[in-house]
Amino acid sequence: MTHRHELVGVLDALLQPEKFKDYGPNGLQVEGADTVRKLVSGVTASRALIEAAIAAGADTLLVHHGLFWRGQSGCITGWMKQRLALLLAHNINLLAYHLPLDAHPELGNNAQLGRQLGLVGRSRFGEQDLGWLGEPADGMAFTSAQHLADRVSHVLNRPVALVGQTQGDIKKIAWCSGGAQSYFEAAIAAGTQAFITGELSEPQAHLARECGVAYLACGHHATERYGAPAVAAHVASQLGLAHEFIDIDNPA
Ligand SMILES: [Zn+2]
C-alpha cells in the first residue's frame, strides 16, 4: 500500500517524461483514490479495460495509451464520458505514459519486445531515439525475411504482414513498437535489413520493395503489450502493491 503521490513520483523518476515531446500528458491523467493497493496494467484505457480493472478490484490503472491526446475536441461526451464516468464512479487513478514507456532501456515496450523476440539492441535511431537497432541473440539466425516473420508471428501469436525481401542471412534488425511507420526511412538509413513495427501504411510497402529491406507489420497492440506490465510489476514490487496485467485483445 502506498500514497498516490508516491507512486506517481516513483514512475516519473523511472520513466522521466520531461525528456520527451509527446502527443498527450504523461503521468496522472485522472485522479482517484489517495491510497493505492492494487495496480492493473494494460495497453489502452478503453472501456473494456476500465471495466475489467473495476472487476479486478483495482484502485489504479497504468496504461500506455491514456485518454487525452493532442487534437481531441476536449468535449466529455459519448465514449469519453462513459470511460471517465466509470473511472470517477469507482475512484480509480488513471496513469498513462506514452513515449517514456516505449523508450525505457530495460522495461519499455521496445526493450521488452526485443526480449520477447530474442533480439539484442545495440544502438538507437530515429526521432527522439525511439527506434532500436540490433541483432538476433546468440545462436539465433534468420535465413530469410519469411523465417523472421514466422518467428515473430509465433512469439506474438498473431499474423504478421511481410513486405519486401532481403539478400542472405538477416543479421541486422530494427524495431519500434506501435505505429512507427514513419521510422522506416531512418531504419533503412541506419543500415537495417528488416524493420519490425506494429502498423503498415501505403508508402512503406513501396520503400520496402525498392530498398531491399523487409517490413514486418506485427500489430500495434501486439507490439506494445509488454512495456506496461513490466513497468507496473517493477514499481508494484518496489512499493508492495498487488499487480495484475489485463490484456484486452485488439486485432489492430
Ligand atoms: Zn501505441
Side-chain angles (χ1 to χ4, degrees):
M1 170 177 121
T2 190
H3 195 282
R4 178 183 64 246
H5 295 317
E6 194 184 352
L7 173 60
V8 174
V10 166
L11 283 165
D12 281 347
L14 183 71
L15 299 173
Q16 305 185 305
E18 69 283 355
K19 289 191 174 167
F20 296 87
K21 266 199 327 205
D22 215 329
Y23 308 96
N26 285 297
L28 182 65
Q29 289 198 342
V30 180
E31 185 180 306
D34 290 340
T35 302
V36 176
R37 291 187 176 82
K38 174 148 187 190
L39 189 56
V40 158
S41 62
V43 178
T44 299
S46 62
R47 198 172 83 196
L49 179 63
I50 295 167
E51 286 170 348
I54 293 165
D59 46 55
T60 302
L61 188 52
L62 174 70
V63 297
H64 180 48
H65 301 137
L67 283 184
F68 307 113
W69 301 98
R70 207 195 288 155
Q72 281 172 332
S73 74
C75 298
I76 310 299
T77 55
W79 59 269
M80 178 65 90
K81 181 212 162 183
Q82 292 173 353
R83 294 186 194 181
L84 266 178
L86 282 170
L87 290 169
L88 295 172
H90 292 86
N91 209 24
I92 294 179
N93 296 296
L94 175 64
L95 296 161
Y97 290 87
H98 184 234
L99 298 182
L101 203 139
D102 287 319
H104 189 275
E106 281 106 40
L107 302 169
N109 278 325
N110 283 321
Q112 293 290 319
L113 179 64
R115 220 173 123 173
Q116 292 288 330
L117 299 177
L119 305 176
V120 182
R122 296 292 184 209
S123 58
R124 306 285 188 274
F125 69 91
E127 211 186 316
Q128 302 193 65
D129 266 349
L130 289 169
W132 286 46
L133 180 65
E135 62 207 22
D138 283 350
M140 276 174 51
F142 298 104
T143 53
S144 66
Q146 188 61 55
H147 184 200
L148 174 61
D150 290 345
R151 165 81 187 162
V152 175
S153 175
H154 175 74
V155 171
L156 299 184
N157 193 27
R158 56 154 287 141
V160 165
L162 167 65
V163 185
Q165 292 302 329
T166 52
Q167 299 275 324
D169 285 357
I170 296 181
K171 299 187 180 101
K172 280 193 169 181
I173 299 172
W175 67 98
C176 194
S177 67
Q181 297 95 314
S182 64
Y183 280 69
F184 189 38
E185 283 190 76
I188 295 167
T192 197
Q193 295 170 282
F195 179 61
I196 294 168
T197 188
E199 299 180 26
L200 171 67
S201 294
E202 201 269 357
Q204 283 77 38
H206 300 292
L207 285 181
R209 291 177 183 146
E210 292 167 20
C211 297
V213 175
Y215 191 109
L216 288 79
C218 313
H220 190 134
H221 175 89
T223 57
E224 298 202 316
R225 249 182 329 209
Y226 304 105
V231 167
H234 179 83
V235 298
S237 78
Q238 190 179 338
L239 297 171
L241 307 173
H243 166 241
E244 184 181 339
F245 170 62
I246 298 180
D247 192 25
I248 305 293
D249 187 48
N250 187 331

